[in-house]
Amino acid sequence: MTRDERAAIARHIYARHVAHAAAADEAGLRSALEAALAVIPRERFLPPGPWHLARLSGGYTPTPDDDPVYLYQDVPVAIRPERHLNNGQPSFLAGLIARGRPGRGMKAVHVGTGTGYYTALLARLAGAEGHVLGIEHDPALAAFAAEALAELPQVRIVAGDGAAMTLPPADLVLVNAGAVRPAYAWLDALKVGGRLVLPLTAGPRPGTPITRGAVFLIERRDEGHYTARCLSPTLIYPCAGARDPVAERALARALAAGGQEAVRMLHRTDALPDDRCWLRGPGWCLAYG
C-alpha cells in the first residue's frame, strides 16, 4: 500500500468520526460533512511536515515524519507553533459550521480563514453553485490559502480586516477567531434568515495569546431583529480587527458573572434596561429577551 493510499483510508475514517461528532443527530448534514471532509487533504492546508500536534495539556507533540496519516486525528495542528496559531480542532470547527446550517448554493463569509482548510469545507458544502469569501488578516496566510484553494472556483480569498470591510450579503458568516463585540459589518451582511457564528472572548490563556469565552449563534429574523443563543465555551485565537480594551473588560465581567446561556436576542440598540442585558456596547446589546 502506498503512502497516498494509506492517507486516503485514514482520511475517510477521520471524516466519518468528525462528521458524527459535529452533527450526530442530523443525518443529511452529517453525510454532507463526511463527504466533504473525505475529499479535502488536510496536508494541503498546512506547512510541510513533520507537523506539531496540539496537546490538551498545552504545547505540541511532533509527528515522527511527514506521513500525512498523522493529520487525520481530531486534534489541532500547528500552523505557526511559535505564535500558538493552529489549524483548529476539526470536530469543534465542523460543529460550529453545522450549527450555522450550511447548504448547497449558500453564500458564506469566513472571517479568519487562516490557511483555508475550513474555508474548503464551507466551499464543498456550498457546492459549485455557492460562493465563499475567505478573509485573513495575515497577508502571508491569505496568500497560502489562496494557492491551496485555487481548484475551487466558488472561493475568493482576500487579505484584510474582516471586521471593518464591507461584506457581500451572506447566508452564513463564520468568525473563526475571538472577538469582543459583534462587528456591524457582520450583522449588516446577514440576509434575512442569515446566521452569524461568533466567538466572544476575553483574556488570554496564561503564556499564550489564546482567549477564553463563548460562541454565539446570531440569526437575522427580519430587517431589524436578531435572535441569539450561546452554543458552547471556547478557547480560540483573538480576532485582530475586533478587539478593544473597553469592550474586552465589559465582556470579561459578563463572562465572569455567567448567564450567557439565557441570552435570546441581539438588539441593535443599547437603550435597554440593565436587567434585560447580558452584555452591551455602543449601539448593541445581547439580551435575555
Side-chain angles (χ1 to χ4, degrees):
M1 182 183 298
T2 68
R3 188 164 82 162
D4 287 348
E5 290 170 337
R6 186 169 61 244
I9 292 169
R11 186 165 59 248
H12 278 77
I13 295 168
Y14 152 95
R16 177 156 295 190
H17 288 176
V18 170
H20 179 262
D25 301 322
E26 300 172 74
L29 180 53
R30 184 172 69 249
S31 177
L33 285 167
E34 181 179 341
L37 289 163
V39 296
I40 302 171
R42 199 177 186 191
E43 58 272 25
R44 180 180 298 170
F45 299 91
L46 291 164
W51 298 279
H52 289 77
L53 309 182
R55 299 193 307 248
L56 283 175
S57 58
Y60 297 98
T61 299
T63 62
D65 53 44
D66 64 352
D67 187 340
V69 74
Y70 294 111
L71 300 176
Y72 295 107
Q73 307 177 55
D74 190 21
V75 296
V77 180
I79 295 171
R80 300 283 189 273
E82 70 283 1
R83 293 170 51 190
H84 301 272
L85 180 62
N86 301 326
N87 178 260
Q89 185 173 7
S91 63
F92 179 70
L93 271 299
L96 293 187
I97 291 170
R99 301 298 284 276
R101 305 197 307 277
R104 294 196 73 80
M106 71 176 174
K107 311 302 182 187
V109 176
H110 187 188
V111 179
T113 204
T115 51
Y117 181 66
Y118 298 100
T119 314
L121 178 55
L122 286 167
R124 292 287 182 181
L125 294 169
E129 62 270 40
H131 185 266
V132 180
L133 171 63
I135 306 169
E136 173 52 46
H137 198 269
D138 183 322
L141 293 181
F144 185 106
E147 182 175 352
L149 290 158
E151 69 174 29
L152 296 173
Q154 67 270 47
V155 177
R156 181 167 68 95
I157 302 297
V158 299
D161 183 351
M165 64 179 63
T166 300
L167 303 178
D171 301 295
L172 175 60
V173 177
L174 171 65
V175 180
N176 196 9
V180 294
R181 63 185 186 278
Y184 295 140
W186 305 334
L187 298 174
D188 291 342
L190 294 180
K191 300 179 184 179
V192 172
R195 288 82 58 198
L196 166 64
V197 178
L198 175 63
L200 291 176
T201 61
R205 191 176 182 183
T208 78
I210 305 302
T211 55
R212 301 173 182 267
V215 183
F216 289 83
L217 177 65
I218 296 166
E219 183 167 351
R220 190 172 199 165
R221 291 299 191 183
D222 57 38
E223 288 303 316
H225 295 87
Y226 302 77
T227 60
R229 60 192 175 95
C230 182
L231 297 180
S232 73
T234 187
L235 290 168
I236 198 165
Y237 208 80
C239 184
R243 303 198 73 84
D244 70 70
V246 173
E248 184 160 2
R249 286 193 292 271
L251 175 58
R253 289 193 296 269
L255 289 168
Q260 56 265 38
E261 295 81 7
V263 168
R264 293 293 178 269
M265 301 290 294
L266 182 140
H267 295 280
R268 297 194 70 171
T269 175
D270 53 11
L272 272 72
D274 287 346
D275 62 358
R276 289 186 58 193
C277 287
W278 178 72
L279 176 66
R280 78 171 81 228
W284 64 273
C285 175
L286 282 170
Y288 301 119

